[in-house]
């Protein structure tokens, strides 16, 4: 059974609207909600990038039961891992245990702002590995001192910690990252519906842990308008994460995608009012073994109407096709 979530996309909504959308997603019946953590939007047309952690605090208190997650936070440059651990623990307490910390190695788009340069992919993975170790130790309680190749921590301690800990989900894209993080993470994040990735993750983890994917959609009563909106705001999506992680700003994404056609976007993203197209679009993730799929509705102004559509039509159709999940919560893996 697959859980279906809603994406609070900070790149296309202001902070107050994001809080309202989170409340709307809970009322609509989404099983969980994820939030992006950006300093820049992908394209200027998207128009927003509020501080995700302030918004998460507001969302945690404005909602009652929907599980929350970052999708994903980069703890390697813009944030020090010790600070990420403190933020995660605080949001987990505010949400009364509903928060999962999603982590990844990030994009130049957001990390360049601190002026430390953009490391190679191998170095970024090493930095993420060290950051995960620090975060896990701090969330485990007690004082932490650490001196490694990338980070130093001097007698740090989190004074406000949830009793049940904070689950860590880590973004992966291939065998190397799967083998590195499956043994230590509580859940997998991936944007490609690759069954081989799922199988390798479960084998390396030694357990069937949650796997969280994400799918952009462009719903709307007019298919042409929905396609135009997807092309205008999401044409960057087809570049793939190896490219998307390297470009330094919205101008770079605009230039890199200037030859992407409307039909290219429409072939990759379900556009328009056809419910069956939106239901069928998630099937690759379901068939690959993903337990959670977060949907991204393209276009900030579309969110209120989309949430109504989800409540009355989309979520019932998804559950009729794929079943009702028993529990969407992600928990800290316990040692046997």
């Amino acid at each position: 059974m697959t859980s279906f979530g809603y994406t609070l996309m900070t790149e296309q909504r202001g902070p107050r609207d994001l809080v309202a959308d989170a409340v709307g997603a809970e009322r609509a019946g989404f099983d969980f909600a994820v939030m992006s953590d950006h300093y820049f939007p992908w394209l200027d047309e998207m128009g927003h990038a509020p501080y995700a952690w302030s918004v998460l605090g507001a969302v945690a208190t404005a909602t009652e039961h929907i599980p929350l997650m970052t999708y994903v936070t980069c703890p390697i440059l813009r944030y020090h891992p010790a600070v990420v651990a403190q933020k995660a623990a605080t949001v987990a307490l505010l949400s009364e245990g509903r928060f999962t910390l999603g982590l990844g190695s990030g994009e130049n788009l957001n990390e360049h702002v601190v002026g430390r340069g953009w490391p190679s992919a191998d170095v970024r993975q090493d930095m993420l590995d060290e950051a995960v170790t620090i975060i896990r130790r701090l969330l485990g309680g007690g004082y932490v001192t650490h001196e490694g190749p990338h980070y130093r921590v001097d007698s740090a301690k989190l004074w406000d910690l949830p009793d049940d800990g904070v689950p860590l989900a880590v973004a992966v894209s291939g065998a190397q990252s799967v083998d590195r993080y499956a043994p230590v993470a509580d859940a997998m994040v991936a944007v490609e519906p690759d069954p081989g990735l799922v199988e390798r993750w479960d084998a390396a983890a030694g357990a069937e842990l949650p796997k969280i994917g994400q799918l952009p959609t462009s719903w709307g009563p007019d298919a042409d308008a929905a396609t135009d909106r997807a092309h205008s705001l999401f044409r960057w999506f087809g570049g793939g994460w190896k490219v998307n992680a390297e470009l330094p700003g919205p101008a770079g994404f605009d230039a890199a995608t200037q030859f992407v056609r409307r039909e290219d976007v429409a072939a990759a993203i379900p556009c328009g009012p056809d419910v069956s197209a939106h239901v069928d679009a998630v099937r690759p993730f379901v068939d690959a073994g993903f337990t959670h799929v977060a949907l991204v509705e393209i276009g900030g102004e579309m969110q209120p109407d989309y949430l109504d559509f989800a409540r009355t039509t989309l979520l019932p159709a998804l559950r009729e096709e794929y079943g009702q999940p028993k529990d969407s919560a992600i928990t800290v893996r316990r040692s046997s």
Side-chain angles (χ1 to χ4, degrees):
M1 306 299 178
T2 306
S3 298
F4 293 101
Y6 175 76
T7 299
L8 296 157
M9 192 172 190
T10 59
E11 303 94 299
Q12 63 178 11
R13 290 289 260 175
R16 295 180 67 87
D17 286 332
L18 287 164
V19 177
D21 293 342
V23 172
E26 184 173 74
R27 291 175 178 168
F30 278 97
D31 300 312
F32 66 103
V34 305
M35 180 178 287
S36 57
D37 185 354
H38 272 238
Y39 203 96
F40 273 84
W42 300 99
L43 296 165
D44 285 345
E45 295 94 320
M46 301 180 85
H48 294 279
Y51 183 54
W53 290 91
S54 297
V55 180
L56 276 168
V59 167
T61 56
T63 55
E64 297 178 357
H65 58 79
I66 191 168
L68 306 172
M69 176 182 170
T70 50
Y71 201 101
V72 290
T73 288
C74 175
I76 69 171
L77 285 176
R78 187 166 41 117
Y79 306 137
H80 189 282
V83 178
V84 173
Q86 184 189 34
K87 294 190 288 191
T90 300
V91 173
L93 288 167
L94 285 170
S95 63
E96 299 183 297
R98 291 184 282 129
F99 179 66
T100 295
L101 175 59
L103 297 171
S105 57
E107 300 93 17
N108 194 7
L109 174 72
N110 303 302
E111 305 306 308
H112 78 271
V113 297
V114 295
R116 291 179 55 193
W118 186 232
S120 68
D122 287 346
V123 172
R124 298 197 303 266
Q125 285 298 320
D126 288 342
M127 295 174 76
L128 179 60
D129 192 27
E130 189 175 344
V132 168
T133 298
I134 293 167
I135 291 166
R136 179 69 89 189
R137 288 181 62 193
L138 283 164
L139 292 174
Y143 285 92
V144 173
T145 295
H146 171 92
E147 185 166 354
H150 302 292
Y151 305 105
R152 293 183 64 183
V153 180
D154 183 7
S155 191
K157 176 183 175 179
L158 301 182
W159 290 89
D160 294 278
L161 276 170
D163 292 338
D164 294 329
V166 180
L168 300 185
V170 182
V172 299
S173 59
Q176 183 178 358
S177 54
V178 166
D179 293 345
R180 184 183 300 220
Y181 298 116
V184 298
D186 303 302
M188 180 186 94
V189 171
V191 295
E192 297 292 337
D194 182 351
L197 209 62
V198 170
E199 293 170 7
R200 191 179 185 103
W201 175 274
D202 286 341
E208 292 187 4
L209 301 176
K211 276 78 65 176
I212 308 118
Q214 191 176 53
L215 177 74
T217 70
S218 186
W219 172 82
D222 185 314
D224 287 336
T227 303
D228 288 341
R229 188 172 66 251
H231 181 256
S232 173
L233 300 177
F234 245 74
R235 61 186 184 275
W236 58 271
F237 189 75
W241 293 104
K242 287 186 177 180
V243 173
N244 291 347
E246 304 299 334
L247 297 177
F253 283 91
D254 185 47
T257 58
Q258 60 181 310
F259 299 114
V260 176
R261 303 170 301 173
R262 283 178 82 258
E263 52 264 40
D264 298 328
V265 173
I269 296 173
C271 298
D274 184 359
V275 179
S276 63
H278 291 267
V279 171
D280 290 343
V282 304
R283 187 173 299 281
F285 284 98
V286 175
D287 289 348
F290 281 74
T291 59
H292 296 62
V293 179
L295 304 176
V296 186
E297 171 59 12
I298 299 170
E301 77 286 353
M302 295 300 299
Q303 303 309 306
D305 289 343
Y306 174 77
L307 289 169
D308 284 341
F309 163 69
R311 176 180 57 83
T312 61
T313 307
L314 178 59
L315 288 172
L318 287 169
R319 285 164 184 154
E320 181 178 356
E321 183 69 20
Y322 301 113
Q324 180 77 36
K326 293 181 180 179
D327 187 3
S328 301
I330 297 168
T331 58
V332 174
R333 178 170 25 171
R334 301 300 180 187
S335 299
S336 57

